[in-house]
Amino acid sequence: MNVLLTGGAGYIGSHIVRALQDAGQECVVYDNLCKGNAEAVPECELVVADVADGEALQNAFREHDIEAVIHLAAYIEAGESVEKPDKYFHNNTRIGLTLLDAMRECNVGKIVFSSTAAVYGTPERVPIEETDRLEPINPYGASKLCVEYMLRAYATAYNLGVVSLRYFNVAGAHPDGDIGEAHTPETHLIPLILQVPLGKRENIKIFGQDYGTPDGTCIRDYIHVCDLADAHVLALGATTPGEVKAYNLGNGEGFSVREVIETCRLVTEAPIPAEETPRRPGDPARLVAASQKAITELKWQPNFPELATIVAHAWEWHKNHPNGYET
Ligand code: UDP
């Protein structure tokens, strides 16, 4: 299958490209490189263009005979989205519509959408099931949920085959050691913690200590980026014309911010001082996935479910690439 990945030169995209190539699929990365790195996808055709440019999208679909899209291009910082919702609705929601229209124009009938646990907002219960209430508490989650709604409407009206994958907290790096996480600025917990033993920051800030959790800090479900990538390969095979499927992707176990810091201390054998600071706006207390649906229906099987392994792979990458893809 010829697959185009919007945002394919990013952290998650580059790992999906690797998984697709390992599965013998042809892929094309479509990325404006505002966040992505060409070095992350060295053996893949790269179209440098914006998803907002519907004409460039159509050209790429036709030129490469694209049959399916994995749509990853998006801004991803929940905290920032509270301050700048315009940026999120323009870049995440509006370009989603541009993409769907270009797909329709070129008869591209399958899409796997990079959605997020943030569509659930503050869950009524954990672990969260796919059928639970969708009520995002930050514009990032809302901008992604809008795309899920558009996908549903396009599936019904235009026979599109849709799989939405709702990611929980993605972390780790490829065990081969040559691709990994490189965000500028970095905002995610695990890479920020690892910057302390790398000498790039003095301490890690704990955002909020008064959540209703056992140690007062937020609980998240961490998933290895390679396991997440494998789910995309399976999801491509699970699209059905006119149908929408949604799957949570996590490991079903929650870790508090303090527990994640402790795991990083064990893996790196470094002290890693922590500083208690106020809450970050837009953070739900607890997000843990029920991923049984992906395991049953997609036959998804995580290879690296342990938090210590996820952190160890991330640490290998960051130790050897302290400046990401910059040499
Ligand atoms: N977090 C923190 N300090 C940091 C970065 C993140 O305490 O420097 C917390 C954040 O408030 C959240 C958790 O770590 O509860 C995971 O945050 P991240 O940004 O990695 O992912 P998110 O859950 O927002 O997608």
Side-chain angles (χ1 to χ4, degrees), residues 292-303:
Q292 198 52 45
K293 191 177 169 203
I295 292 167
T296 309
E297 292 186 13
L298 297 179
K299 311 275 180 263
W300 177 63
Q301 203 49 60
N303 291 312

Side-chain angles (χ1 to χ4, degrees), residues 76-79 116-118 138 140 167-170 181 186-193 201 203-209 211 217-220 222 255-258 260-261 275 277-280 282-285 287:
I76 56 166
E77 294 166 35
T116 167
N138 55 55
Y140 165 63
Y167 309 165
F168 283 64
N169 287 62
V170 188
E181 192 162 8
E186 188 52 74
T187 63
H188 291 118
L189 181 63
I190 290 176
L192 283 175
I193 299 172
R201 67 176 54 234
N203 60 26
I204 182 71
K205 296 189 170 31
I206 301 177
F207 296 152
Q209 302 79 43
Y211 287 97
T217 67
C218 286
I219 289 178
R220 295 288 181 275
Y222 293 85
F255 293 90
S256 72
V257 173
R258 290 191 207 278
V260 175
I261 296 171
E275 183 190 344
T277 66
R279 288 182 176 202
R280 183 176 71 178
D283 274 340
L287 291 173

Side-chain angles (χ1 to χ4, degrees), residues 102-160:
M103 288 177 66
R104 211 179 139 212
E105 198 65 42
C106 297
N107 295 316
V108 180
K110 299 176 180 177
I111 184 167
V112 175
F113 174 55
S114 154
S115 189
T116 167
V119 297
Y120 296 109
T122 303
E124 291 164 293
R125 56 169 181 177
V126 290
I128 304 168
E129 306 221 346
E130 288 83 352
T131 46
D132 286 354
R133 187 185 62 193
L134 301 170
E135 206 171 303
I137 60 162
N138 55 55
Y140 165 63
S143 73
K144 288 273 184 175
L145 184 57
C146 287
V147 178
E148 286 206 24
Y149 288 143
M150 294 190 308
L151 288 167
R152 181 171 301 279
Y154 273 53
T156 306
Y158 308 128
N159 220 27
L160 190 63

Side-chain angles (χ1 to χ4, degrees), residues 175-235:
D176 282 0
D178 49 2
I179 51 174
E181 192 162 8
H183 294 121
T184 316
E186 188 52 74
T187 63
H188 291 118
L189 181 63
I190 290 176
L192 283 175
I193 299 172
L194 296 178
Q195 285 183 359
V196 181
L198 285 174
K200 298 179 96 181
R201 67 176 54 234
E202 276 180 18
N203 60 26
I204 182 71
K205 296 189 170 31
I206 301 177
F207 296 152
Q209 302 79 43
D210 58 349
Y211 287 97
T213 58
D215 70 16
T217 67
C218 286
I219 289 178
R220 295 288 181 275
D221 180 346
Y222 293 85
I223 171 173
H224 195 291
V225 65
C226 290
D227 289 333
L228 185 88
D230 289 346
H232 289 73
V233 179
L234 297 167

